[in-house]
């Protein structure tokens, strides 16, 4: 089983739609969780950290479920500019190593 | 504060030559990661280093590839005797460790001709 798994997509949604991605992780010792965004041929950029209590930043909401070992990202009122690949990242407590998922591709169409 | 600086941004090498990719982490960051990305594919972990130590190199090919992060100076990813299959974007990221997020450089795009 991969350490971090994501549905590769693509998710094709119209503008204004709500879309959600899940990411599962296998190591219960994971301590920190993040969502990154990567645009075509660019470097990944931090979108948001994921806290145990969940967190929201504008149209974006991230949640953590430790019992089921998954994190989620919800995007409301999708914009064309949200089209990108969204990477789930997990930090391992014992090694302090960041593990990246392979990403979920989102395409928002007019 | 300067972010993660990678150079060169683009590198062209002939088959059999050596490629040296440099990464200067964010000031104060002691953790460096190297990833490779082929077109239309996800990031593939290569190596994780802390100052002067390789912590995890499980993603590095056994031959021709090496990485270092010396006490002074940038982290270096070295590819000897490059082949066409080495053509890819190589991204470096740095973090403070302790569960903190990582920041990426703009990458080095290696083309082997």
């Amino acid at each position: 089983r991969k350490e971090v798994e994501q549905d590769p997509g693509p998710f094709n949604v119209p503008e204004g739609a709500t879309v959600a991605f899940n990411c599962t992780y296998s190591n219960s010792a994971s301590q920190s969780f993040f969502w990154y965004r990567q645009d075509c041929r660019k470097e990944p950029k931090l979108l948001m950290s994921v806290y145990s209590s969940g967190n929201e930043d504008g149209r974006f909401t991230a949640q953590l479920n430790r019992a089921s070992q998954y994190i989620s990202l919800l995007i409301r009122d999708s914009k064309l500019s949200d089209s990108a690949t969204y990477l789930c990242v997990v930090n391992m407590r014992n090694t302090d190593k960041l593990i990246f998922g392979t990403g979920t591709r989102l395409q928002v169409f007019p | 504060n300067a972010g993660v600086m990678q150079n060169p941004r683009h590198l062209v090498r002939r088959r059999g030559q050596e490629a040296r990719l440099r990464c200067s982490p964010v000031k104060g960051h002691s953790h460096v990661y190297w990833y490779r990305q082929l077109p239309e594919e996800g990031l593939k972990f290569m190596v994780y280093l802390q100052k002067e130590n390789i912590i995890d190199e499980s993603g590095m090919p056994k031959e021709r590839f090496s990485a270092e992060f010396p006490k002074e100076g940038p982290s270096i990813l070295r590819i000897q005797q490059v082949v066409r299959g080495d053509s890819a974007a190589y991204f470096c990221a740095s973090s403070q460790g302790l569960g903190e997020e990582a920041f990426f450089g703009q990458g080095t795009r290696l083309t082997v001709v």
Side-chain angles (χ1 to χ4, degrees), chain A residues 42-89:
Chain A
K42 297 280 187 68
E43 75 275 21
K45 292 187 176 175
L46 178 68
L47 181 64
M48 58 200 308
S49 302
V50 188
Y51 305 120
S52 295
S53 54
N55 52 312
E56 186 173 315
D57 182 3
R59 298 181 294 108
F60 298 83
T61 300
Q63 296 205 310
L64 166 64
N65 185 318
R66 283 194 186 272
S68 300
Q69 294 184 200
Y70 76 84
I71 66 173
S72 63
L73 178 68
L74 180 78
I75 305 175
R76 290 179 296 279
D77 188 23
S78 299
K79 312 289 184 194
L80 294 175
S81 57
D82 293 334
S83 298
T85 297
Y86 291 83
L87 302 164
C88 165
V89 182

Side-chain angles (χ1 to χ4, degrees), chain A:
Chain A
R1 183 183 173 187
K2 288 184 180 177
E3 291 176 290
V4 178
E5 288 201 72
Q6 295 183 251
D7 180 343
F11 284 60
N12 295 306
V13 302
E15 273 188 289
T18 295
V19 61
F21 311 134
N22 278 345
C23 164
T24 58
Y25 58 96
S26 60
N27 192 327
S28 58
S30 304
Q31 63 173 6
S32 305
F33 309 88
F34 309 94
W35 282 103
Y36 280 72
R37 168 192 170 131
Q38 186 176 27
D39 292 282
C40 187
R41 298 182 64 79
K42 297 280 187 68
E43 75 275 21
K45 292 187 176 175
L46 178 68
L47 181 64
M48 58 200 308
S49 302
V50 188
Y51 305 120
S52 295
S53 54
N55 52 312
E56 186 173 315
D57 182 3
R59 298 181 294 108
F60 298 83
T61 300
Q63 296 205 310
L64 166 64
N65 185 318
R66 283 194 186 272
S68 300
Q69 294 184 200
Y70 76 84
I71 66 173
S72 63
L73 178 68
L74 180 78
I75 305 175
R76 290 179 296 279
D77 188 23
S78 299
K79 312 289 184 194
L80 294 175
S81 57
D82 293 334
S83 298
T85 297
Y86 291 83
L87 302 164
C88 165
V89 182
V90 174
N91 173 271
M92 298 296 166
R93 184 191 306 274
N94 51 346
T95 61
D96 216 7
K97 175 182 165 184
L98 290 171
I99 310 291
F100 279 75
T102 52
T104 297
R105 190 170 163 196
L106 171 66
Q107 186 68 47
V108 181
F109 58 88

Side-chain angles (χ1 to χ4, degrees), chain B residues 20-23 34 49 66-70 74-78:
Chain B
R20 278 185 174 240
L21 287 61
R22 294 175 192 77
C23 169
W34 284 94
L49 311 101
S66 63
E68 62 176 10
F69 188 17
S75 176
I76 306 286
L77 179 68
R78 183 182 176 203

